[in-house]
Amino acid sequence: QVQLVESGGGLVQPGGSLTLSCPASGRTWSQYSMAWFRQAPGKEREGVAALRSSDGNRYYADSVKGRFTISRDNAKNTLYLQMNNLKPEDTGVYYCAARAGRMIVSGLRSPSSYEYWGQGTQVTVSS
């Protein structure tokens, strides 16, 4: 069982930066593939960035490439999402997700691939 708790969300102006954190419980956390998803009002949950445990393969949504960076610190059992040059369309609730076991590359961006979810943290980009 893995418990995830996101933090770091807030209100930021366009062009600003935020770093989201997701500490996780679990003794084999380093073996979990991890991801960040977001959901805007009235829209489906979408994959933002993901990191496969087996080989470090990373996925980024086209809309965030070059602006967001996903990383993990296995010593701290924590997943991060560094978000730079934020835009109003980045607004939404951001969720941390985890999956144990095998993960195919195409599954990294799919919500149905993940077993464990945090409660979400709100990110609002507005002037």
Side-chain angles (χ1 to χ4, degrees), residues 100-120:
R102 184 172 176 267
M103 172 74 86
I104 59 176
V105 172
S106 60
L108 285 169
R109 63 180 179 267
S110 174
S112 62
S113 297
Y114 295 86
E115 304 166 86
Y116 305 103
W117 292 85
Q119 82 291 345

Side-chain angles (χ1 to χ4, degrees), residues 8-77:
L11 174 63
V12 63
Q13 292 186 342
S17 297
L18 282 175
T19 300
L20 305 183
S21 299
C22 178
S25 63
R27 291 180 294 175
T28 59
W29 183 80
S30 62
Q31 300 175 18
Y32 286 78
S33 293
M34 305 290 295
W36 289 97
F37 288 80
R38 69 186 178 192
Q39 189 163 18
K43 294 188 177 182
E44 293 185 352
R45 191 169 297 190
E46 65 168 338
V48 174
L51 183 57
R52 189 164 67 171
S53 61
S54 60
D55 60 1
N57 191 304
R58 284 173 167 81
Y59 161 81
Y60 291 100
D62 288 343
S63 60
V64 307
K65 284 180 180 176
R67 300 188 297 121
F68 289 12
T69 302
I70 187 172
S71 63
R72 68 192 298 168
D73 185 334
N74 288 337
K76 296 181 178 180
N77 275 18

